[in-house]
Amino acid sequence: MTFGFAPSDAAPLSQSSTSAEMSADSAHRLARMLEPAEWSAAGIPLLRNPREVVSGLHSRHRPTPLTAVVAVLDVDERIRASASFSRRATVTDGWIFRNALLAQLRRVIPHDLRRRTPVRTAVLLYCREGDARWTQEDGAWMWGLRDACTLHGLRCGAYITLTREGWQVLGEGRGGRRPSAGSEPEAFTGADPPTPRAGGAASEVLRRAAAR
């Protein structure tokens, strides 16, 4: 009588399962981003004076690359609240960005979920390396901003990139050379700015995501 061992299929199945899970995760992340055409078709309200908004946020928070600044504007486009935080996640995922933005919004301003129609608008300025062309990272921030606004009862406003070339309102084609990622803040000429917020729960969300 002879004894033998049948070859185990556990390893190939495990590898196949891992590959499938990775593919599914990648597909989910790709679904959680918006391309410029989708963003434009979403009816995002145009800023009347985007340079004033960008300059105001730049002077308040002085963002450096990998810094996001989320701000809430009133009906007259005045900045009512704003917060900045650094991106620490290694994964480009709109769900992670949504959670980070929502955490900051909850810290700096009450929600408007009881209103039938949103009155205040949230905008996002993201300082990064590279040029002003759309990237998948931008698409994930767009998805995250739109979803965070829905969950906090706000209108979804402009998504703005700040690079060494200047600033750009994605989906609108409007931009300028100053301020830029490397420029000194301009003197703030509007009303007294609210105390800027930085870090907090959103940074913790991104740190935990990066550690996974």
Side-chain angles (χ1 to χ4, degrees), residues 18-34:
T18 301
S19 298
E21 289 173 359
M22 291 175 63
S23 297
D25 183 60
S26 297
H28 290 154
R29 275 186 272 136
L30 286 173
R32 292 191 289 261
M33 66 176 60
L34 296 174

Side-chain angles (χ1 to χ4, degrees), residues 19-172:
S19 298
E21 289 173 359
M22 291 175 63
S23 297
D25 183 60
S26 297
H28 290 154
R29 275 186 272 136
L30 286 173
R32 292 191 289 261
M33 66 176 60
L34 296 174
E35 295 190 4
E38 296 176 295
W39 184 254
S40 299
I44 305 300
L46 300 178
L47 289 171
R48 293 193 297 271
N49 193 338
R51 188 181 186 282
E52 183 176 307
V53 173
V54 173
S55 296
L57 295 178
H58 185 259
S59 65
R60 284 175 169 89
H61 296 276
R62 305 190 177 195
T64 56
L66 298 184
T67 300
V69 182
V70 61
V72 178
L73 312 180
D74 64 15
V75 293
D76 296 318
E77 224 168 77
R78 291 188 296 255
I79 299 172
R80 288 305 180 190
S82 63
S84 63
F85 59 97
S86 298
R87 176 190 170 174
R88 299 182 186 276
T90 57
V91 177
T92 297
D93 190 332
W95 183 81
I96 294 175
F97 294 168
R98 184 277 307 274
N99 290 346
L101 291 168
L102 190 58
Q104 292 291 356
L105 289 170
R106 285 170 173 166
R107 287 178 61 239
V108 300
I109 200 161
H111 67 74
D112 278 347
L113 293 171
R114 294 184 182 88
R115 293 182 179 273
R116 182 172 298 179
T117 303
V119 174
R120 296 180 292 194
T121 303
V123 300
L124 176 62
L125 182 147
Y126 182 55
C127 183
R128 60 168 174 77
E129 300 288 358
D131 57 32
R133 287 176 292 184
W134 180 89
T135 66
Q136 287 191 348
E137 183 184 25
D138 294 324
W141 280 115
M142 289 171 166
W143 190 96
L145 176 63
R146 186 185 65 176
D147 217 43
C149 288
T150 299
L151 294 173
H152 206 61
L154 301 169
R155 289 200 308 169
C156 179
Y159 173 71
I160 307 158
T161 58
L162 188 71
T163 66
R164 299 192 185 280
E165 295 179 355
W167 58 273
Q168 179 84 12
V169 184
L170 264 67
E172 295 184 19

Side-chain angles (χ1 to χ4, degrees), residues 51 55-56 58-60 178-180 183-189:
R51 188 181 186 282
S55 296
H58 185 259
S59 65
R60 284 175 169 89
R178 292 184 63 85
S180 68
S183 67
E184 288 295 321
E186 299 177 5
F188 185 77
T189 57

